Amino acid sequence: MTSEVIIDVQPKEISIALLEDKSLVEYQNETREASFAVGNIYLGKVRKLMPGLNACFVDVGSEKDAFLHYLDLGLQFSSYEKYLKQVTSDRKKLYPIQKATHQPDLPKDGSIQNVLKVGQEIMVQIVKEPINTKGPRLTCELSFAGRYMVLLPFGDKVSVSTKIKRGEERSRLKQLVQSMKPKNFGVIVRTVAEGKRAAELDAELKALLKKWDDTIAKVQKATTSPVLLTEEQTRAVALLRDLFNPTYDGIHVNDADIFQQIHDYITMIAPDKADIVKLYKGNVPIFDNFNVTKQLKSGFGRTVNYKRGAYLIIEHTEAMHVVDVNSGTRIKKENGQEANALETNLGAADELARQLRLRDMGGIIVVDFIDMNLAEDRQMLYERMCENMKKDRARHNILPLSKFGLMQITRQRVRPAMDVAVEESCPTCHGSGKIKSSILFTDQLESKIDRLVNKIGIKRFTLHVHPYVAAYINSGVLSLKRRWQLKYGLGVRIIPNQKLAFLQYEFFDQKNEFIDMQEENEVTK
């Protein structure tokens, strides 16, 4: 299986696609100014206690106050609280954590009003991003994730991933990390640490300890709250930290700065794989070049076709996601309805596993498969779903089919489900239903080019249009594009862009910054 990561960096957003055998299986899109990411650490202030919920709301600077349950305070909360007071009591000299004393563990059946008070400052970490009307979800059990290990301040033991099966390797890693870690720190050794040398583990441990030192130094200097103490790495690097596999065939990026960040990171964790990071310099948009745009258009939306006419209908609600499996226009097999239902359901299981990763759907997912009478067929479908979901990094649980033919799946939900609008609104009529004659479209483009070159003074630019329009502009020996270049200069470049609607166009300058050339009077009322 070949795997490639495609990263599309735009001025306002960054999109990341993971391809397996050229098929899109994961997609993430975030604005470049996005905040409140999972893993961010804040110095927050308690706003309101909720004894009935045994929880509180904390101000971390988000639009909605963040939610913190008593059980998420963690057993070591008393140690954190005392250490925080020691740090903030002296603004000049930092009190080292190695000298901090462990306090008694917080009782599991305690009450939040006996531990916190309104206005108190606490260190918190985001474990779930804001979803719909809810604010972020918090924990006070801080963790600093690296490629090979996770650092836990005020922990006291070393744990090894259960996915590392060999007893001697587990013992080696445990003893090695135990000898490296300072006092008052715990460590979780991740699966990818298997077989790694002491020097590699020690280098990452030192990097994580530095992140902790930088975090607590900001607490010492903070005069008001909330304050962002530690920000997750850029989305591209953070994704690769958890996702990177030495078998990757390529990581393609279209931005020089992000390319350098990723190249430096891969050089650090896998020096022999640094050459798979490549800077994309093509004229065609990077997602179009790797066939990501077309897969996004076909993979999202309410209806998803898979094979031989069968399709899924996916509905999203506040409480859960509901999926209906339909055979559609499939031709029935000669050996009957049962075989036809089984084949349709198995195909649905393959596509659904991909959709869960692609859309990052979390919470409760209920799937209505086509009814099957044979118990062995229902068991085969359950086993197929479990096998497909092994590739999913998110924690999940799958129940066998119920007597109503429904399969229930729970999947870890840490951010809103990904949604991509696949319907295109008309860019020329803006919903009025009336547009100028299509035959005049190229004349309209030429008037924009004339204004851009002769009035605004921008001589070099790219014009992005729908691929069909680009083909028309480029057709012929003396093409429309060639005539424009002879008239307005060679700085005129035409780029086909699959994201655009048929009569939509966008101008970009030399720095790839958008030039707004739309006018309201283009709409015919």
Side-chain angles (χ1 to χ4, degrees):
M1 181 179 69
T2 61
S3 298
E4 292 179 296
V5 176
I6 316 299
I7 303 172
D8 181 20
V9 182
Q10 297 298 328
K12 294 184 179 179
E13 64 181 15
I14 180 170
S15 303
I16 303 168
L18 173 63
L19 304 180
E20 292 180 354
D21 290 333
K22 305 298 181 182
S23 176
L24 180 65
V25 294
E26 287 194 32
Y27 174 73
Q28 295 196 25
N29 173 274
E30 285 187 6
T31 59
R32 301 189 74 172
E33 296 80 23
S35 55
F36 310 111
V38 171
N40 282 6
I41 298 176
Y42 290 83
L43 180 65
K45 183 178 289 187
V46 178
R47 287 283 295 270
K48 187 177 182 181
L49 297 177
M50 304 290 289
L53 297 175
N54 204 17
C56 68
F57 288 102
V58 181
D59 179 16
V60 292
S62 63
E63 185 179 346
K64 295 276 187 179
D65 285 340
F67 182 81
L68 175 65
H69 193 271
Y70 174 82
L71 293 177
D72 291 322
L73 292 174
L75 297 176
Q76 307 298 333
F77 180 77
S78 299
S79 300
Y80 270 113
E81 186 180 24
K82 183 177 180 181
Y83 181 62
L84 205 61
K85 290 178 180 176
Q86 291 170 325
V87 167
T88 54
S89 63
D90 188 347
R91 301 288 182 181
K92 294 181 180 179
K93 186 177 180 182
L94 185 63
Y95 189 82
I97 189 174
Q98 287 80 2
K99 293 184 179 179
T101 55
H102 271 278
Q103 301 301 303
D105 289 353
L106 213 62
K108 292 184 178 180
D109 56 351
S111 174
I112 198 157
Q113 57 192 348
N114 296 331
V115 181
L116 298 177
K117 60 179 182 291
V118 174
Q120 181 176 342
E121 291 184 338
I122 54 176
M123 287 176 66
V124 290
Q125 187 168 29
I126 293 182
V127 292
K128 186 182 288 187
E129 292 179 9
I131 297 176
N132 296 330
T133 59
K134 300 173 183 175
R137 180 75 182 259
L138 305 176
T139 181
C140 287
E141 296 184 281
L142 306 185
S143 61
F144 295 83
R147 171 75 176 152
Y148 304 126
M149 62 186 74
V150 180
L151 184 70
L152 307 171
F154 286 107
D156 57 357
K157 66 177 183 177
V158 175
S159 304
V160 180
S161 168
T162 55
K163 292 182 181 179
I164 299 177
K165 302 296 183 183
R166 292 188 299 123
E168 60 272 21
E169 178 64 8
R170 294 177 61 86
S171 299
R172 182 187 77 88
L173 289 170
K174 193 166 186 176
Q175 292 173 6
L176 194 59
V177 175
Q178 189 75 49
S179 65
M180 293 176 181
K181 76 173 188 70
K183 182 184 176 184
N184 285 342
F185 284 102
V187 173
I188 299 173
V189 181
R190 305 182 75 173
T191 309
V192 290
E194 186 172 10
K196 298 301 177 185
R197 294 178 291 110
E200 295 175 273
L201 300 178
D202 185 54
E204 181 164 277
L205 182 60
K206 287 177 179 176
L208 295 177
L209 288 168
K210 185 178 185 305
K211 284 184 73 173
W212 162 257
D213 291 338
D214 293 344
T215 299
I216 208 65
K218 289 183 181 179
V219 174
Q220 184 190 31
K221 297 173 184 176
T223 54
T224 59
S225 58
V227 178
L228 174 61
L229 303 175
T230 298
E231 190 170 13
E232 258 291 5
Q233 295 165 301
T234 60
R235 192 74 206 113
V237 175
L239 179 75
L240 286 172
R241 182 193 65 205
D242 299 329
L243 199 64
F244 180 75
N245 190 309
T247 62
Y248 277 177
D249 297 280
I251 300 171
H252 303 272
V253 196
N254 64 346
D255 180 87
D257 292 337
I258 302 295
F259 163 79
Q260 195 59 52
Q261 291 177 24
I262 293 173
H263 187 271
D264 292 345
Y265 180 70
I266 299 299
T267 302
M268 181 181 72
I269 65 170
D272 57 320
K273 285 289 181 179
D275 59 342
I276 70 171
V277 186
K278 298 168 185 175
L279 180 61
Y280 177 77
K281 297 180 180 179
N283 291 330
V284 177
I286 187 170
F287 272 10
D288 291 5
N289 185 69
F290 289 95
N291 198 33
V292 174
T293 305
K294 187 175 181 180
Q295 293 191 63
L296 283 174
K297 297 282 187 181
S298 62
F300 285 85
R302 181 173 178 267
T303 303
V304 179
N305 297 301
Y306 52 106
K307 55 184 181 181
R308 298 184 185 176
Y311 60 94
L312 305 177
I313 295 178
I314 302 176
E315 296 281 5
H316 305 279
T317 72
E318 177 72 20
M320 65 179 68
H321 306 280
V322 182
V323 182
D324 185 35
V325 179
N326 291 273
S327 58
T329 58
R330 282 181 57 87
I331 299 173
K332 292 185 178 181
K333 297 181 77 68
E334 294 178 359
N335 51 350
Q337 173 62 27
E338 184 72 16
N340 189 63
L342 176 61
E343 186 175 339
T344 303
N345 285 339
L346 292 177
D350 296 341
E351 180 61 26
L352 179 59
R354 185 178 83 98
Q355 287 291 327
L356 294 181
R357 292 174 67 190
L358 181 59
R359 302 183 186 219
D360 203 10
M361 292 161 58
I364 301 172
I365 300 106
V366 177
V367 190
D368 182 12
F369 285 102
I370 297 172
D371 291 339
M372 296 183 295
N373 296 320
L374 299 179
E376 55 265 33
D377 288 351
R378 294 195 293 271
Q379 180 63 24
M380 186 187 301
L381 175 61
Y382 170 69
E383 291 173 357
R384 178 74 158 261
M385 196 71 213
C386 292
E387 182 65 27
N388 290 336
M389 293 292 285
K390 284 182 179 178
K391 299 177 184 177
D392 199 333
R393 293 176 296 114
R395 290 196 302 269
H396 58 269
N397 189 27
I398 306 171
L399 296 181
L401 288 167
S402 71
K403 62 180 180 180
F404 298 118
L406 302 177
M407 178 179 287
Q408 299 170 68
I409 303 171
T410 60
R411 187 174 182 275
Q412 183 184 22
R413 173 169 147 168
V414 296
R415 57 179 60 88
M418 180 58 61
D419 188 26
V420 175
V422 295
E423 293 83 10
E424 296 175 347
S425 59
C426 177
T428 51
C429 77
H430 304 285
S432 71
K434 297 179 181 180
I435 64 172
K436 286 184 178 180
S437 176
S438 298
I439 199 69
L440 302 178
F441 179 62
T442 53
D443 294 342
Q444 180 183 325
L445 288 180
E446 184 169 353
S447 71
K448 300 291 183 183
I449 294 171
D450 180 68
R451 180 167 168 244
L452 203 60
V453 173
N454 296 323
K455 293 186 179 179
I456 301 177
I458 298 177
K459 306 291 184 182
R460 303 185 69 85
F461 58 87
T462 56
L463 170 60
H464 289 233
V465 292
H466 188 276
Y468 288 175
V469 177
Y472 173 74
I473 293 173
N474 288 315
S475 64
V477 178
L478 189 59
S479 64
L480 197 56
K481 172 188 173 183
R482 185 62 182 153
R483 279 181 274 162
W484 285 348
Q485 287 179 331
L486 291 172
K487 188 174 180 180
Y488 301 106
L490 295 176
V492 179
R493 296 171 61 222
I494 309 298
I495 302 294
N497 192 327
Q498 296 177 11
K499 287 184 179 180
L500 301 182
F502 187 60
L503 295 182
Q504 189 177 1
Y505 60 90
E506 291 180 347
F507 286 90
F508 292 87
D509 64 15
Q510 275 186 289
K511 297 179 180 178
N512 202 34
E513 293 182 357
F514 176 70
I515 307 170
D516 188 1
M517 297 295 290
Q518 298 285 346
E519 297 176 6
E520 286 300 321
N521 60 13
E522 290 176 15
V523 183
T524 302
K525 299 296 184 184

